[in-house]
Amino acid sequence: MSKTPSLRRSNKPFRALVLVGFMGSGKTRVGQVLSRRLGWDFLDLDARVEARQGSTIAEIFRNLGETGFRQAEREALLELIREMKASPAVAALGGGAFVQPENLRLLEASGVPAVFLDAPVEELWERCRLEKHRPLAQNLNQFRQLHESRRPLYMKAALRIETSGKDADTIADEIAAQLELTCARKEK
Ligand code: S3P
């Protein structure tokens, strides 16, 4: 876990955060646990893209290519940012969302802190390799290369949490402590 001394830009507590990181890093699971603890909404960018498009991520990649997917993803992200301004929320972003320069700019402008869930690439691959619905997880070599090219961009997040060997409850606790968030309830 790495800590930035002045994560909070003002005395106002955070009312939203986004979870970022590579495929298999546990963004959705941690987001669900953390949002329940905080009593905040949980928003899932991939699920929002699918709902807006009326098709699965795999189908969107097949029919519109990655470019079409990124366009749909940006529009859904704008929707999520608007919702996070209106009501406290934890949002889980898809693995490629945070590394698109325009998305990073939108998120930085929103003031919503990004939390990078980090883990060794071998562990991420183990979690993803048997899942058929991931268009960008073809084989270990391709997965490793993509991870290597993206990792410096995930490091632009306000906070990095090392997740290796930890369960979602522990990770959620660490994020809440680092961002000084008050948990409405504790479930264990
Ligand atoms: C992607 C990750 C996926 C999904 C899409 C593209 C990526 O989300 O958005 O398949 O570019 O890494 P998860 O990280 O939730 O698997």
Side-chain angles (χ1 to χ4, degrees):
M1 178 170 47
S2 66
K3 181 165 181 167
T4 314
S6 56
L7 261 179
R8 261 207 266 156
R9 277 190 232 157
S10 71
N11 287 330
K12 282 218 230 135
F14 290 120
R15 286 169 49 84
L17 63 95
V18 293
L19 298 174
V20 306
F22 207 59
M23 290 170 267
S25 59
K27 302 173 295 278
T28 300
R29 180 74 194 117
V30 171
Q32 287 166 336
V33 171
L34 182 59
S35 61
R36 265 204 306 276
R37 289 209 178 158
L38 297 170
W40 293 4
D41 295 334
F42 174 64
L43 308 173
D44 185 289
L45 183 59
D46 281 343
R48 184 63 62 93
V49 172
E50 292 186 331
R52 285 170 54 98
Q53 299 298 115
S55 31
T56 65
I57 304 279
E59 284 165 352
I60 302 169
F61 266 82
R62 248 194 328 271
N63 298 334
L64 306 174
E66 181 167 354
T67 311
F69 171 74
R70 296 297 168 204
Q71 173 70 32
E73 184 181 55
R74 170 136 340 119
E75 286 159 16
L77 178 64
L78 281 167
E79 200 171 272
L80 258 53
I81 291 173
R82 276 198 298 276
E83 290 174 22
M84 286 190 279
K85 283 188 179 145
S87 174
V90 176
L93 304 194
F98 190 67
V99 304
Q100 311 300 315
E102 175 63 8
N103 294 347
L104 180 58
R105 197 189 61 70
L106 289 170
L107 284 162
E108 283 177 348
S110 75
V112 173
V115 178
F116 168 31
L117 303 187
D118 199 10
V121 69
E122 293 75 15
E123 199 171 314
L124 299 168
W125 174 248
E126 274 314 304
R127 293 188 205 151
C128 291
R129 71 190 181 91
L130 297 176
E131 297 175 354
K132 295 274 171 276
H133 65 273
R134 294 181 189 277
L136 295 180
Q138 300 305 323
N139 57 62
L140 178 55
N141 251 349
Q142 167 273 335
F143 193 81
R144 193 190 290 282
Q145 273 175 27
L146 189 60
H147 178 265
E148 228 170 79
S149 68
R150 284 181 177 176
R151 199 167 174 284
L153 301 164
Y154 296 135
M155 291 298 285
K156 291 180 186 244
L159 177 66
R160 183 185 76 89
I161 302 281
E162 180 55 63
T163 65
S164 186
K166 295 177 190 162
D167 63 16
D169 292 299
T170 307
I171 298 165
D173 279 345
E174 283 185 21
I175 296 170
Q178 290 286 315
L179 296 183
E180 300 172 32
L181 305 171
T182 311
C183 290
R185 53 176 142 140
K186 178 122 180 149
E187 320 163 6
K188 274 213 173 160

mmCIF file of all heavy atoms in Angstrom, residues 137-183:
data_model
loop_
_atom_site.group_PDB
_atom_site.id
_atom_site.type_symbol
_atom_site.label_atom_id
_atom_site.label_comp_id
_atom_site.label_asym_id
_atom_site.label_seq_id
_atom_site.Cartn_x
_atom_site.Cartn_y
_atom_site.Cartn_z
ATOM 1 N N ALA A 137 -8.000 -10.596 -23.202
ATOM 2 C CA ALA A 137 -7.195 -11.569 -22.454
ATOM 3 C C ALA A 137 -7.059 -12.819 -23.308
ATOM 4 O O ALA A 137 -7.756 -13.804 -23.108
ATOM 5 C CB ALA A 137 -7.845 -11.876 -21.110
ATOM 6 N N GLN A 138 -6.164 -12.771 -24.290
ATOM 7 C CA GLN A 138 -6.042 -13.872 -25.269
ATOM 8 C C GLN A 138 -5.072 -14.950 -24.804
ATOM 9 O O GLN A 138 -5.380 -16.128 -24.838
ATOM 10 C CB GLN A 138 -5.571 -13.316 -26.615
ATOM 11 C CG GLN A 138 -6.499 -12.280 -27.222
ATOM 12 C CD GLN A 138 -7.916 -12.801 -27.372
ATOM 13 O OE1 GLN A 138 -8.120 -13.970 -27.693
ATOM 14 N NE2 GLN A 138 -8.906 -11.964 -27.112
ATOM 15 N N ASN A 139 -3.896 -14.520 -24.423
ATOM 16 C CA ASN A 139 -2.880 -15.469 -23.926
ATOM 17 C C ASN A 139 -1.940 -14.694 -23.002
ATOM 18 O O ASN A 139 -1.964 -13.461 -22.963
ATOM 19 C CB ASN A 139 -2.115 -16.118 -25.088
ATOM 20 C CG ASN A 139 -1.457 -15.062 -25.966
ATOM 21 O OD1 ASN A 139 -0.597 -14.309 -25.515
ATOM 22 N ND2 ASN A 139 -1.887 -14.982 -27.213
ATOM 23 N N LEU A 140 -1.122 -15.437 -22.265
ATOM 24 C CA LEU A 140 -0.308 -14.796 -21.225
ATOM 25 C C LEU A 140 0.625 -13.721 -21.803
ATOM 26 O O LEU A 140 0.791 -12.653 -21.219
ATOM 27 C CB LEU A 140 0.484 -15.854 -20.443
ATOM 28 C CG LEU A 140 1.421 -15.319 -19.348
ATOM 29 C CD1 LEU A 140 0.687 -14.444 -18.342
ATOM 30 C CD2 LEU A 140 2.125 -16.460 -18.624
ATOM 31 N N ASN A 141 1.207 -13.985 -22.973
ATOM 32 C CA ASN A 141 2.137 -13.015 -23.567
ATOM 33 C C ASN A 141 1.476 -11.688 -23.866
ATOM 34 O O ASN A 141 1.976 -10.619 -23.510
ATOM 35 C CB ASN A 141 2.688 -13.578 -24.877
ATOM 36 C CG ASN A 141 4.131 -13.944 -24.713
ATOM 37 O OD1 ASN A 141 4.746 -13.581 -23.707
ATOM 38 N ND2 ASN A 141 4.658 -14.682 -25.673
ATOM 39 N N GLN A 142 0.344 -11.779 -24.555
ATOM 40 C CA GLN A 142 -0.413 -10.569 -24.921
ATOM 41 C C GLN A 142 -0.885 -9.841 -23.665
ATOM 42 O O GLN A 142 -0.807 -8.619 -23.557
ATOM 43 C CB GLN A 142 -1.586 -10.984 -25.824
ATOM 44 C CG GLN A 142 -2.667 -9.957 -26.064
ATOM 45 C CD GLN A 142 -3.752 -9.970 -24.996
ATOM 46 O OE1 GLN A 142 -3.985 -10.976 -24.343
ATOM 47 N NE2 GLN A 142 -4.389 -8.836 -24.791
ATOM 48 N N PHE A 143 -1.339 -10.614 -22.678
ATOM 49 C CA PHE A 143 -1.860 -10.066 -21.419
ATOM 50 C C PHE A 143 -0.741 -9.322 -20.680
ATOM 51 O O PHE A 143 -0.911 -8.214 -20.203
ATOM 52 C CB PHE A 143 -2.365 -11.262 -20.592
ATOM 53 C CG PHE A 143 -3.219 -10.935 -19.403
ATOM 54 C CD1 PHE A 143 -4.572 -10.659 -19.550
ATOM 55 C CD2 PHE A 143 -2.689 -10.972 -18.113
ATOM 56 C CE1 PHE A 143 -5.376 -10.421 -18.436
ATOM 57 C CE2 PHE A 143 -3.488 -10.732 -17.000
ATOM 58 C CZ PHE A 143 -4.829 -10.451 -17.167
ATOM 59 N N ARG A 144 0.425 -9.959 -20.643
ATOM 60 C CA ARG A 144 1.576 -9.375 -19.947
ATOM 61 C C ARG A 144 2.015 -8.061 -20.608
ATOM 62 O O ARG A 144 2.289 -7.069 -19.952
ATOM 63 C CB ARG A 144 2.728 -10.391 -19.982
ATOM 64 C CG ARG A 144 3.879 -10.065 -19.055
ATOM 65 C CD ARG A 144 5.057 -10.972 -19.345
ATOM 66 N NE ARG A 144 4.865 -12.358 -18.976
ATOM 67 C CZ ARG A 144 4.950 -12.821 -17.727
ATOM 68 N NH1 ARG A 144 5.225 -12.003 -16.751
ATOM 69 N NH2 ARG A 144 4.769 -14.090 -17.463
ATOM 70 N N GLN A 145 2.043 -8.075 -21.952
ATOM 71 C CA GLN A 145 2.473 -6.870 -22.688
ATOM 72 C C GLN A 145 1.513 -5.705 -22.444
ATOM 73 O O GLN A 145 1.928 -4.567 -22.230
ATOM 74 C CB GLN A 145 2.534 -7.153 -24.178
ATOM 75 C CG GLN A 145 3.872 -7.728 -24.587
ATOM 76 C CD GLN A 145 3.902 -8.118 -26.057
ATOM 77 O OE1 GLN A 145 3.168 -7.529 -26.858
ATOM 78 N NE2 GLN A 145 4.705 -9.082 -26.404
ATOM 79 N N LEU A 146 0.222 -6.024 -22.476
ATOM 80 C CA LEU A 146 -0.780 -4.980 -22.261
ATOM 81 C C LEU A 146 -0.659 -4.438 -20.828
ATOM 82 O O LEU A 146 -0.713 -3.228 -20.598
ATOM 83 C CB LEU A 146 -2.187 -5.554 -22.500
ATOM 84 C CG LEU A 146 -3.346 -4.565 -22.525
ATOM 85 C CD1 LEU A 146 -3.172 -3.517 -23.618
ATOM 86 C CD2 LEU A 146 -4.680 -5.308 -22.734
ATOM 87 N N HIS A 147 -0.455 -5.339 -19.895
ATOM 88 C CA HIS A 147 -0.305 -4.943 -18.489
ATOM 89 C C HIS A 147 0.902 -4.020 -18.322
ATOM 90 O O HIS A 147 0.826 -2.977 -17.674
ATOM 91 C CB HIS A 147 -0.169 -6.204 -17.618
ATOM 92 C CG HIS A 147 0.031 -5.920 -16.171
ATOM 93 N ND1 HIS A 147 1.272 -5.871 -15.577
ATOM 94 C CD2 HIS A 147 -0.856 -5.630 -15.183
ATOM 95 C CE1 HIS A 147 1.147 -5.583 -14.296
ATOM 96 N NE2 HIS A 147 -0.138 -5.428 -14.034
ATOM 97 N N GLU A 148 2.013 -4.409 -18.961
ATOM 98 C CA GLU A 148 3.250 -3.627 -18.838
ATOM 99 C C GLU A 148 3.064 -2.219 -19.401
ATOM 100 O O GLU A 148 3.539 -1.243 -18.840
ATOM 101 C CB GLU A 148 4.350 -4.346 -19.621
ATOM 102 C CG GLU A 148 5.641 -4.503 -18.849
ATOM 103 C CD GLU A 148 6.571 -5.425 -19.608
ATOM 104 O OE1 GLU A 148 7.221 -4.967 -20.583
ATOM 105 O OE2 GLU A 148 6.597 -6.611 -19.258
ATOM 106 N N SER A 149 2.349 -2.140 -20.539
ATOM 107 C CA SER A 149 2.183 -0.826 -21.173
ATOM 108 C C SER A 149 1.221 0.056 -20.366
ATOM 109 O O SER A 149 1.323 1.279 -20.392
ATOM 110 C CB SER A 149 1.682 -0.985 -22.612
ATOM 111 O OG SER A 149 0.366 -1.487 -22.595
ATOM 112 N N ARG A 150 0.301 -0.562 -19.637
ATOM 113 C CA ARG A 150 -0.687 0.241 -18.906
ATOM 114 C C ARG A 150 -0.273 0.616 -17.491
ATOM 115 O O ARG A 150 -0.764 1.605 -16.948
ATOM 116 C CB ARG A 150 -2.001 -0.536 -18.815
ATOM 117 C CG ARG A 150 -2.781 -0.532 -20.095
ATOM 118 C CD ARG A 150 -4.043 -1.294 -19.880
ATOM 119 N NE ARG A 150 -4.900 -1.292 -21.049
ATOM 120 C CZ ARG A 150 -6.029 -1.974 -21.115
ATOM 121 N NH1 ARG A 150 -6.405 -2.699 -20.075
ATOM 122 N NH2 ARG A 150 -6.770 -1.921 -22.199
ATOM 123 N N ARG A 151 0.596 -0.192 -16.888
ATOM 124 C CA ARG A 151 0.854 -0.003 -15.454
ATOM 125 C C ARG A 151 1.307 1.424 -15.102
ATOM 126 O O ARG A 151 0.831 2.007 -14.130
ATOM 127 C CB ARG A 151 1.846 -1.041 -14.940
ATOM 128 C CG ARG A 151 1.760 -1.170 -13.431
ATOM 129 C CD ARG A 151 2.478 -2.362 -12.875
ATOM 130 N NE ARG A 151 2.427 -2.279 -11.425
ATOM 131 C CZ ARG A 151 3.177 -1.457 -10.723
ATOM 132 N NH1 ARG A 151 4.050 -0.659 -11.323
ATOM 133 N NH2 ARG A 151 3.055 -1.412 -9.410
ATOM 134 N N PRO A 152 2.203 2.031 -15.915
ATOM 135 C CA PRO A 152 2.609 3.413 -15.581
ATOM 136 C C PRO A 152 1.415 4.379 -15.577
ATOM 137 O O PRO A 152 1.425 5.369 -14.859
ATOM 138 C CB PRO A 152 3.589 3.783 -16.699
ATOM 139 C CG PRO A 152 3.997 2.500 -17.332
ATOM 140 C CD PRO A 152 2.904 1.508 -17.101
ATOM 141 N N LEU A 153 0.411 4.071 -16.376
ATOM 142 C CA LEU A 153 -0.758 4.965 -16.434
ATOM 143 C C LEU A 153 -1.657 4.770 -15.204
ATOM 144 O O LEU A 153 -2.184 5.733 -14.651
ATOM 145 C CB LEU A 153 -1.533 4.733 -17.730
ATOM 146 C CG LEU A 153 -0.672 4.987 -18.977
ATOM 147 C CD1 LEU A 153 -1.305 4.403 -20.221
ATOM 148 C CD2 LEU A 153 -0.451 6.488 -19.162
ATOM 149 N N TYR A 154 -1.795 3.527 -14.750
ATOM 150 C CA TYR A 154 -2.552 3.296 -13.511
ATOM 151 C C TYR A 154 -1.875 4.011 -12.332
ATOM 152 O O TYR A 154 -2.533 4.410 -11.369
ATOM 153 C CB TYR A 154 -2.642 1.802 -13.181
ATOM 154 C CG TYR A 154 -3.395 0.947 -14.172
ATOM 155 C CD1 TYR A 154 -2.882 -0.281 -14.594
ATOM 156 C CD2 TYR A 154 -4.638 1.334 -14.659
ATOM 157 C CE1 TYR A 154 -3.573 -1.085 -15.475
ATOM 158 C CE2 TYR A 154 -5.338 0.528 -15.552
ATOM 159 C CZ TYR A 154 -4.792 -0.680 -15.957
ATOM 160 O OH TYR A 154 -5.484 -1.476 -16.831
ATOM 161 N N MET A 155 -0.544 4.136 -12.432
ATOM 162 C CA MET A 155 0.198 4.780 -11.332
ATOM 163 C C MET A 155 -0.148 6.266 -11.200
ATOM 164 O O MET A 155 0.252 6.918 -10.243
ATOM 165 C CB MET A 155 1.717 4.607 -11.544
ATOM 166 C CG MET A 155 2.199 3.179 -11.369
ATOM 167 S SD MET A 155 1.926 2.538 -9.695
ATOM 168 C CE MET A 155 3.209 3.402 -8.801
ATOM 169 N N LYS A 156 -0.896 6.803 -12.151
ATOM 170 C CA LYS A 156 -1.338 8.204 -12.028
ATOM 171 C C LYS A 156 -2.490 8.331 -11.039
ATOM 172 O O LYS A 156 -2.927 9.439 -10.728
ATOM 173 C CB LYS A 156 -1.789 8.737 -13.389
ATOM 174 C CG LYS A 156 -0.637 8.902 -14.353
ATOM 175 C CD LYS A 156 -1.135 9.424 -15.693
ATOM 176 C CE LYS A 156 -0.003 9.438 -16.678
ATOM 177 N NZ LYS A 156 0.375 10.726 -17.142
ATOM 178 N N ALA A 157 -3.024 7.218 -10.575
ATOM 179 C CA ALA A 157 -4.119 7.254 -9.594
ATOM 180 C C ALA A 157 -3.629 7.911 -8.302
ATOM 181 O O ALA A 157 -2.434 7.916 -8.001
ATOM 182 C CB ALA A 157 -4.604 5.831 -9.315
ATOM 183 N N ALA A 158 -4.575 8.444 -7.532
ATOM 184 C CA ALA A 158 -4.215 9.140 -6.285
ATOM 185 C C ALA A 158 -3.669 8.165 -5.243
ATOM 186 O O ALA A 158 -2.864 8.534 -4.390
ATOM 187 C CB ALA A 158 -5.454 9.846 -5.727
ATOM 188 N N LEU A 159 -4.098 6.914 -5.326
ATOM 189 C CA LEU A 159 -3.716 5.934 -4.311
ATOM 190 C C LEU A 159 -3.509 4.585 -4.966
ATOM 191 O O LEU A 159 -4.275 4.199 -5.854
ATOM 192 C CB LEU A 159 -4.875 5.837 -3.293
ATOM 193 C CG LEU A 159 -4.769 4.843 -2.155
ATOM 194 C CD1 LEU A 159 -3.634 5.224 -1.206
ATOM 195 C CD2 LEU A 159 -6.087 4.793 -1.376
ATOM 196 N N ARG A 160 -2.456 3.873 -4.546
ATOM 197 C CA ARG A 160 -2.226 2.503 -5.031
ATOM 198 C C ARG A 160 -2.360 1.546 -3.863
ATOM 199 O O ARG A 160 -1.784 1.775 -2.801
ATOM 200 C CB ARG A 160 -0.823 2.383 -5.623
ATOM 201 C CG ARG A 160 -0.528 1.013 -6.219
ATOM 202 C CD ARG A 160 0.923 0.901 -6.688
ATOM 203 N NE ARG A 160 1.832 0.717 -5.568
ATOM 204 C CZ ARG A 160 2.184 -0.471 -5.062
ATOM 205 N NH1 ARG A 160 1.699 -1.582 -5.576
ATOM 206 N NH2 ARG A 160 3.021 -0.544 -4.039
ATOM 207 N N ILE A 161 -3.134 0.492 -4.064
ATOM 208 C CA ILE A 161 -3.288 -0.518 -3.020
ATOM 209 C C ILE A 161 -2.742 -1.837 -3.549
ATOM 210 O O ILE A 161 -3.152 -2.293 -4.618
ATOM 211 C CB ILE A 161 -4.788 -0.713 -2.639
ATOM 212 C CG1 ILE A 161 -5.432 0.586 -2.166
ATOM 213 C CG2 ILE A 161 -4.958 -1.835 -1.621
ATOM 214 C CD1 ILE A 161 -5.135 0.985 -0.754
ATOM 215 N N GLU A 162 -1.817 -2.424 -2.827
ATOM 216 C CA GLU A 162 -1.291 -3.742 -3.189
ATOM 217 C C GLU A 162 -2.326 -4.783 -2.755
ATOM 218 O O GLU A 162 -2.665 -4.850 -1.579
ATOM 219 C CB GLU A 162 0.052 -3.937 -2.464
ATOM 220 C CG GLU A 162 0.726 -5.246 -2.739
ATOM 221 C CD GLU A 162 0.942 -5.492 -4.225
ATOM 222 O OE1 GLU A 162 1.683 -4.735 -4.864
ATOM 223 O OE2 GLU A 162 0.323 -6.465 -4.739
ATOM 224 N N THR A 163 -2.844 -5.558 -3.700
ATOM 225 C CA THR A 163 -3.967 -6.444 -3.365
ATOM 226 C C THR A 163 -3.577 -7.914 -3.260
ATOM 227 O O THR A 163 -4.404 -8.735 -2.874
ATOM 228 C CB THR A 163 -5.074 -6.329 -4.438
ATOM 229 O OG1 THR A 163 -4.551 -6.810 -5.679
ATOM 230 C CG2 THR A 163 -5.562 -4.902 -4.592
ATOM 231 N N SER A 164 -2.333 -8.229 -3.618
ATOM 232 C CA SER A 164 -1.932 -9.630 -3.678
ATOM 233 C C SER A 164 -2.182 -10.355 -2.349
ATOM 234 O O SER A 164 -1.745 -9.891 -1.292
ATOM 235 C CB SER A 164 -0.457 -9.702 -4.047
ATOM 236 O OG SER A 164 -0.091 -11.028 -4.234
ATOM 237 N N GLY A 165 -2.908 -11.461 -2.434
ATOM 238 C CA GLY A 165 -3.152 -12.281 -1.246
ATOM 239 C C GLY A 165 -4.154 -11.696 -0.260
ATOM 240 O O GLY A 165 -4.324 -12.224 0.829
ATOM 241 N N LYS A 166 -4.806 -10.603 -0.614
ATOM 242 C CA LYS A 166 -5.771 -9.989 0.321
ATOM 243 C C LYS A 166 -7.195 -10.232 -0.171
ATOM 244 O O LYS A 166 -7.444 -10.262 -1.368
ATOM 245 C CB LYS A 166 -5.544 -8.482 0.410
ATOM 246 C CG LYS A 166 -4.212 -8.094 1.015
ATOM 247 C CD LYS A 166 -4.058 -6.586 0.974
ATOM 248 C CE LYS A 166 -2.647 -6.177 1.345
ATOM 249 N NZ LYS A 166 -2.352 -4.809 0.910
ATOM 250 N N ASP A 167 -8.143 -10.335 0.773
ATOM 251 C CA ASP A 167 -9.533 -10.468 0.337
ATOM 252 C C ASP A 167 -10.171 -9.080 0.183
ATOM 253 O O ASP A 167 -9.576 -8.053 0.560
ATOM 254 C CB ASP A 167 -10.332 -11.378 1.281
ATOM 255 C CG ASP A 167 -10.423 -10.828 2.694
ATOM 256 O OD1 ASP A 167 -10.152 -9.628 2.898
ATOM 257 O OD2 ASP A 167 -10.763 -11.609 3.603
ATOM 258 N N ALA A 168 -11.372 -9.072 -0.390
ATOM 259 C CA ALA A 168 -12.036 -7.795 -0.708
ATOM 260 C C ALA A 168 -12.310 -6.970 0.550
ATOM 261 O O ALA A 168 -12.222 -5.733 0.520
ATOM 262 C CB ALA A 168 -13.327 -8.062 -1.465
ATOM 263 N N ASP A 169 -12.616 -7.627 1.667
ATOM 264 C CA ASP A 169 -12.885 -6.892 2.918
ATOM 265 C C ASP A 169 -11.653 -6.115 3.372
ATOM 266 O O ASP A 169 -11.751 -4.951 3.759
ATOM 267 C CB ASP A 169 -13.291 -7.874 4.031
ATOM 268 C CG ASP A 169 -14.637 -8.494 3.756
ATOM 269 O OD1 ASP A 169 -15.622 -7.761 3.679
ATOM 270 O OD2 ASP A 169 -14.695 -9.730 3.583
ATOM 271 N N THR A 170 -10.505 -6.784 3.324
ATOM 272 C CA THR A 170 -9.257 -6.149 3.763
ATOM 273 C C THR A 170 -8.926 -4.961 2.855
ATOM 274 O O THR A 170 -8.529 -3.891 3.326
ATOM 275 C CB THR A 170 -8.112 -7.187 3.716
ATOM 276 O OG1 THR A 170 -8.521 -8.324 4.460
ATOM 277 C CG2 THR A 170 -6.817 -6.625 4.270
ATOM 278 N N ILE A 171 -9.104 -5.166 1.567
ATOM 279 C CA ILE A 171 -8.781 -4.095 0.608
ATOM 280 C C ILE A 171 -9.722 -2.902 0.824
ATOM 281 O O ILE A 171 -9.294 -1.746 0.846
ATOM 282 C CB ILE A 171 -8.875 -4.641 -0.840
ATOM 283 C CG1 ILE A 171 -7.847 -5.751 -1.045
ATOM 284 C CG2 ILE A 171 -8.666 -3.520 -1.852
ATOM 285 C CD1 ILE A 171 -8.078 -6.598 -2.291
ATOM 286 N N ALA A 172 -11.007 -3.207 1.031
ATOM 287 C CA ALA A 172 -11.983 -2.129 1.273
ATOM 288 C C ALA A 172 -11.604 -1.354 2.536
ATOM 289 O O ALA A 172 -11.664 -0.117 2.558
ATOM 290 C CB ALA A 172 -13.385 -2.719 1.391
ATOM 291 N N ASP A 173 -11.193 -2.063 3.581
ATOM 292 C CA ASP A 173 -10.765 -1.401 4.833
ATOM 293 C C ASP A 173 -9.595 -0.459 4.572
ATOM 294 O O ASP A 173 -9.553 0.656 5.077
ATOM 295 C CB ASP A 173 -10.285 -2.445 5.863
ATOM 296 C CG ASP A 173 -11.446 -3.104 6.587
ATOM 297 O OD1 ASP A 173 -12.575 -2.575 6.503
ATOM 298 O OD2 ASP A 173 -11.215 -4.149 7.230
ATOM 299 N N GLU A 174 -8.628 -0.940 3.785
ATOM 300 C CA GLU A 174 -7.441 -0.117 3.514
ATOM 301 C C GLU A 174 -7.810 1.145 2.760
ATOM 302 O O GLU A 174 -7.314 2.234 3.055
ATOM 303 C CB GLU A 174 -6.413 -0.917 2.695
ATOM 304 C CG GLU A 174 -5.648 -1.903 3.542
ATOM 305 C CD GLU A 174 -4.547 -2.607 2.758
ATOM 306 O OE1 GLU A 174 -4.109 -2.090 1.705
ATOM 307 O OE2 GLU A 174 -4.134 -3.694 3.207
ATOM 308 N N ILE A 175 -8.688 1.011 1.794
ATOM 309 C CA ILE A 175 -9.078 2.193 1.010
ATOM 310 C C ILE A 175 -9.796 3.190 1.909
ATOM 311 O O ILE A 175 -9.491 4.393 1.893
ATOM 312 C CB ILE A 175 -9.990 1.785 -0.179
ATOM 313 C CG1 ILE A 175 -9.216 0.893 -1.147
ATOM 314 C CG2 ILE A 175 -10.523 3.021 -0.900
ATOM 315 C CD1 ILE A 175 -10.079 0.244 -2.233
ATOM 316 N N ALA A 176 -10.713 2.694 2.720
ATOM 317 C CA ALA A 176 -11.463 3.592 3.609
ATOM 318 C C ALA A 176 -10.506 4.317 4.558
ATOM 319 O O ALA A 176 -10.631 5.527 4.781
ATOM 320 C CB ALA A 176 -12.510 2.799 4.388
ATOM 321 N N ALA A 177 -9.527 3.587 5.090
ATOM 322 C CA ALA A 177 -8.582 4.203 6.031
ATOM 323 C C ALA A 177 -7.727 5.256 5.326
ATOM 324 O O ALA A 177 -7.553 6.369 5.825
ATOM 325 C CB ALA A 177 -7.702 3.125 6.657
ATOM 326 N N GLN A 178 -7.234 4.922 4.152
ATOM 327 C CA GLN A 178 -6.349 5.845 3.434
ATOM 328 C C GLN A 178 -7.068 7.116 2.989
ATOM 329 O O GLN A 178 -6.483 8.187 2.985
ATOM 330 C CB GLN A 178 -5.774 5.161 2.192
ATOM 331 C CG GLN A 178 -4.771 4.070 2.492
ATOM 332 C CD GLN A 178 -3.447 4.628 2.940
ATOM 333 O OE1 GLN A 178 -2.937 5.572 2.355
ATOM 334 N NE2 GLN A 178 -2.891 4.080 3.997
ATOM 335 N N LEU A 179 -8.323 6.974 2.625
ATOM 336 C CA LEU A 179 -9.058 8.156 2.150
ATOM 337 C C LEU A 179 -9.864 8.810 3.280
ATOM 338 O O LEU A 179 -10.615 9.750 3.039
ATOM 339 C CB LEU A 179 -9.985 7.780 0.983
ATOM 340 C CG LEU A 179 -9.302 7.294 -0.300
ATOM 341 C CD1 LEU A 179 -10.327 7.020 -1.382
ATOM 342 C CD2 LEU A 179 -8.281 8.299 -0.809
ATOM 343 N N GLU A 180 -9.680 8.285 4.493
ATOM 344 C CA GLU A 180 -10.371 8.815 5.679
ATOM 345 C C GLU A 180 -11.885 8.844 5.464
ATOM 346 O O GLU A 180 -12.552 9.850 5.693
ATOM 347 C CB GLU A 180 -9.831 10.209 6.030
ATOM 348 C CG GLU A 180 -8.337 10.189 6.336
ATOM 349 C CD GLU A 180 -7.761 11.582 6.493
ATOM 350 O OE1 GLU A 180 -8.478 12.484 6.964
ATOM 351 O OE2 GLU A 180 -6.593 11.771 6.132
ATOM 352 N N LEU A 181 -12.410 7.720 5.002
ATOM 353 C CA LEU A 181 -13.854 7.615 4.752
ATOM 354 C C LEU A 181 -14.512 6.957 5.958
ATOM 355 O O LEU A 181 -13.958 6.021 6.530
ATOM 356 C CB LEU A 181 -14.115 6.761 3.510
ATOM 357 C CG LEU A 181 -13.416 7.214 2.233
ATOM 358 C CD1 LEU A 181 -13.581 6.178 1.129
ATOM 359 C CD2 LEU A 181 -13.959 8.562 1.777
ATOM 360 N N THR A 182 -15.665 7.429 6.316
ATOM 361 C CA THR A 182 -16.366 6.867 7.464
ATOM 362 C C THR A 182 -17.290 5.747 7.016
ATOM 363 O O THR A 182 -18.162 5.958 6.171
ATOM 364 C CB THR A 182 -17.211 7.961 8.154
ATOM 365 O OG1 THR A 182 -16.351 9.080 8.335
ATOM 366 C CG2 THR A 182 -17.741 7.483 9.492
ATOM 367 N N CYS A 183 -17.077 4.571 7.579
ATOM 368 C CA CYS A 183 -17.924 3.435 7.209
ATOM 369 C C CYS A 183 -19.239 3.517 7.960
ATOM 370 O O CYS A 183 -19.262 3.654 9.185
ATOM 371 C CB CYS A 183 -17.226 2.121 7.525
ATOM 372 S SG CYS A 183 -15.840 1.833 6.423
#
